[in-house]
Amino acid sequence: MRVVQTMLEAARRLKGQWRMMIVLAAIYAALLAALFFFVATTEASAWQILLTLCFAALAPALFFLLQAMLVNYARGETKALLLLRRSFTDSCKLALASVPLALAVLLLLYLLNKLQPASHVWTAQATPPEMWPPPRLRADADANASLRWLFVAWTTLRFLLCYVALPLVAVHLWSAVARDGLLPAIKRARHHLARAFAPEAVLTYAVGLLLFGLIPYALVFMRTPAASQAVEFGLFIARLALVFVFTLYGWAVTFDALARGGTANAAAVNDGAATS
């Protein structure tokens, strides 16, 4: 109930900040456009290669600018222009603080790729054999089932690392960087890890994942058959608009709830240390 109350309070705080939401929506739309043109631009000439490199540099800058705005909003800043101006400087700090975190995730993914069985093992043994007699078929089916569960386990580990652990740690690390500075936040990385995986933080992220993750995923892959192609195309555009809204609003609410919760916990820890 406390997690739900925190999320509702974050949603109520965000409801009246329409100027800030317009700025956030513009930055988010620019980020999506940069990613789209980075993928869509072919490397056939010199200017197209230069354009691709520009979009490759612009996308991370817009991403960290968006996160810096959310960090400063969670700290209490609500004026859109002041928030945007302050976030330009803080976005560089967030990007620098994210470098060791990204390297750690890449190292863990590399180790997972090394530890899992080779891909040809999944392909060769995951298909049902077409042979007889039934005892051999049953033995092969048991082996295939164990391989499928092992594949599911490795996929789940990657999902938890990239889509659960990484965002949780990043939000708390970014909040600490904006609050305390870059070097003090990195020095206290162990404390930020402990707060990131606290039960309340994990539950808050799980609730937010429904808004910015699962609902947009369902909308993207939802089938809306229509009588004509024009109506079907219109429904597709409407679904994309809903995905845009749910992703931005859901992440903003979840970020605010996580950042304010982490700030409150950090303040309580500091007060307890000062009292003792």
Side-chain angles (χ1 to χ4, degrees):
M1 293 302 297
R2 187 168 58 185
V3 169
V4 174
Q5 184 179 1
T6 302
M7 295 291 290
L8 291 177
E9 290 177 358
R12 283 195 293 266
R13 283 192 298 267
L14 197 63
K15 184 171 60 176
Q17 305 298 329
W18 60 271
R19 290 186 179 88
M20 188 197 71
M21 289 302 299
I22 290 176
V23 177
L24 286 176
I27 296 174
Y28 184 48
L31 172 61
L32 295 179
L35 292 174
F36 172 78
F37 286 113
F38 171 73
V39 176
T41 303
T42 58
E43 300 178 358
S45 60
W47 71 269
Q48 287 178 329
I49 294 176
L50 180 61
L51 193 62
T52 303
L53 294 176
C54 291
F55 286 128
L58 182 61
L62 292 172
F63 173 79
F64 285 109
L65 178 61
L66 183 65
Q67 309 310 318
M69 288 191 66
L70 293 175
V71 168
N72 288 316
Y73 167 71
R75 297 180 63 197
E77 182 60 56
T78 57
K79 296 182 179 179
L81 294 180
L82 183 60
L83 186 65
L84 182 61
R85 186 171 56 191
R86 182 179 297 177
S87 299
F88 275 109
T89 304
D90 290 341
S91 62
C92 299
K93 299 178 183 178
L94 300 189
L96 290 176
S98 302
V99 171
L101 183 60
L103 292 177
V105 172
L106 290 176
L107 178 60
L108 290 175
L109 289 175
Y110 174 78
L111 293 177
L112 285 177
N113 290 333
K114 286 295 184 180
L115 291 175
Q116 79 168 21
S119 59
H120 68 273
V121 176
W122 307 116
T123 306
Q125 300 192 28
T127 56
E130 297 180 357
M131 57 181 60
W132 202 255
R136 174 66 180 275
L137 182 63
R138 189 178 303 112
D140 290 340
D142 294 338
N144 294 337
S146 63
L147 282 173
R148 291 192 188 98
W149 280 112
L150 190 59
F151 177 75
V152 169
W154 246 262
T155 305
T156 303
L157 285 176
R158 290 192 182 89
F159 176 84
L160 293 176
L161 177 62
C162 296
Y163 301 107
V164 177
L166 178 60
L168 278 172
V169 176
V171 168
H172 289 81
L173 180 62
W174 293 338
S175 301
V177 168
R179 183 181 65 248
D180 304 327
L182 181 59
L183 291 179
I186 294 178
K187 290 179 180 179
R188 294 176 57 87
R190 184 180 61 182
H191 301 280
H192 306 322
L193 285 173
R195 289 202 299 269
F197 296 109
E200 186 172 352
V202 175
L203 287 176
T204 301
Y205 182 80
V207 174
L209 188 62
L210 296 174
L211 292 175
F212 69 82
L214 297 182
I215 293 178
Y217 179 84
L219 288 172
V220 168
F221 293 99
M222 180 188 301
R223 291 186 177 182
T224 53
S228 63
Q229 293 183 352
V231 176
E232 188 172 356
F233 181 75
L235 292 175
F236 177 72
I237 296 300
R239 295 205 314 270
L240 290 182
L242 288 176
V243 168
F244 182 88
V245 172
F246 273 105
T247 305
L248 179 62
Y249 186 79
W251 179 240
V253 170
T254 306
F255 198 111
D256 185 25
L258 287 172
R260 289 178 186 265
T263 302
N265 291 334
V269 170
N270 292 333
D271 293 341
T275 303
S276 60

